[in-house]
Amino acid sequence: MSITSDKLNRVQEILRNDLTAETASQVMALIGLPVEAAELKEYRLWGDYLPKAEEFPYTESQRYLHILWENIDRSPLCINVDFAIPFRTLIAQKLFKKCGKGFVANEGCRFNYGHLIEVGDYVCWNHCCYIDSKGGVKFDDYSMMTEYSRIFTHGHSESDHEVRSYAPVEIGAYAKVYTNCTLLPGVHIGRGAIVATGAVVTKDVPDYTLVGGVPAKPIRERKTDGKEDSELNHYMFPDKAFQ
């Protein structure tokens, strides 16, 4: 058995049960970032200071799962995809509200409330995506989000910054959100739709429609060459690696 496989098996075994400070400390040591359990108990996350923390508080185990998600990107192991991708999947399956099979997340992807994220089967997040999940975010099966894209589910009053509004965002099955896009609160990206690079989406996107621009507007129908959804090959890597 390789060193990578051995470490993953040890992480998986630890995650079979709810995390404590002691077991989270064991995982931190496995990824090369040793932190004592007593110190982990004092960690507070950004989301702990936001209004939704009282309405949707993390359990103790969820808190440590989020800490592990953040810290894998601070470990040299973050660039070893044979470890880092399965590691993130293991965390997501325990932390997210829902996480289906074949989930792939690249390094640098961040969120504020993991337990308000729903992920279907074979969903992909590429490098450095940001998900503000306070209002709830759902990724349907085979949906994809690529580099530096952002999702926001809350807004602020102009006259009082502490007055906030929330609305969920959903990315439909077989939809693709391309590089450096921004999705604003309440939008629904339709099934098979494509959001072109750099777009800012302020309204719902119809099924199988390509939108682009600021604000995003419909440009044309998606080119499927007559293929069914299952033939669109919504996989991150050749040969369906990790999926």
Side-chain angles (χ1 to χ4, degrees):
M1 180 181 293
S2 70
I3 295 172
T4 296
S5 296
D6 182 58
K7 283 190 174 184
L8 275 173
N9 287 339
R10 291 164 69 187
V11 170
Q12 188 170 28
E13 183 62 32
I14 292 171
L15 293 182
R16 292 187 191 280
N17 301 305
D18 286 346
L19 280 179
T20 63
E22 288 71 22
T23 54
S25 178
Q26 292 174 25
V27 179
M28 290 290 289
L30 283 170
I31 64 175
L33 300 172
V35 179
E36 295 295 330
E39 186 175 352
L40 280 177
K41 289 180 181 180
E42 297 181 357
Y43 275 32
R44 291 297 176 266
L45 301 171
W46 180 274
D48 290 330
Y49 291 91
L50 300 176
K52 284 290 183 176
E54 294 184 5
E55 185 177 355
F56 299 106
Y58 268 162
T59 65
E60 179 185 29
S61 182
Q62 288 170 336
R63 176 182 305 283
Y64 295 130
L65 288 163
H66 195 148
I67 289 169
L68 293 177
W69 178 285
E70 294 279 351
N71 275 286
I72 188 59
D73 288 334
R74 293 160 173 79
S75 163
L77 283 170
C78 76
I79 62 170
N80 178 5
V81 295
D82 283 346
F83 181 90
I85 288 178
F87 181 89
R88 294 187 192 97
T89 301
L90 288 171
I91 300 299
Q93 289 171 342
K94 296 282 289 186
L95 174 57
F96 291 178
K97 185 176 181 179
K98 173 187 174 183
C99 182
K101 57 188 176 183
F103 174 57
V104 168
N106 199 353
E107 63 182 294
C109 294
R110 304 187 70 183
F111 47 79
N112 41 32
Y113 292 97
H115 57 325
L116 299 182
I117 297 173
E118 297 180 63
V119 171
D121 293 336
Y122 305 110
V123 170
C124 297
W125 298 352
N126 212 329
H127 186 76
C128 287
C129 295
Y130 177 72
I131 301 153
D132 160 42
S133 53
K134 293 190 286 294
V137 176
K138 182 178 181 182
F139 294 84
D140 293 329
D141 297 346
Y142 293 94
S143 57
M144 307 180 78
M145 182 169 63
T146 66
E147 297 91 333
Y148 301 100
S149 288
R150 300 162 295 273
I151 296 174
F152 293 96
T153 60
H154 84 288
H156 297 265
S157 165
E158 293 186 18
S159 60
D160 187 338
H161 188 75
E162 292 193 14
V163 175
R164 296 166 168 87
S165 59
Y166 302 91
V169 168
E170 181 174 355
I171 295 90
Y174 295 94
K176 295 195 286 187
V177 178
Y178 274 123
T179 304
N180 200 33
C181 289
T182 301
L183 310 186
L184 295 186
V187 301
H188 177 272
I189 309 301
R191 185 182 185 91
I194 295 178
V195 181
T197 296
V200 176
V201 181
T202 61
K203 298 179 180 179
D204 290 353
V205 177
D207 294 350
Y208 302 100
T209 300
L210 169 68
V211 299
V214 181
K217 296 180 180 179
I219 296 173
R220 56 170 170 79
E221 290 186 2
R222 176 178 180 166
K223 297 177 181 178
T224 62
D225 295 331
K227 294 179 179 179
E228 299 294 330
D229 288 344
S230 60
E231 300 173 302
L232 295 173
N233 286 326
H234 273 219
Y235 299 100
M236 182 68 76
F237 299 109
D239 301 320
K240 303 177 183 178
F242 302 104
Q243 298 181 292

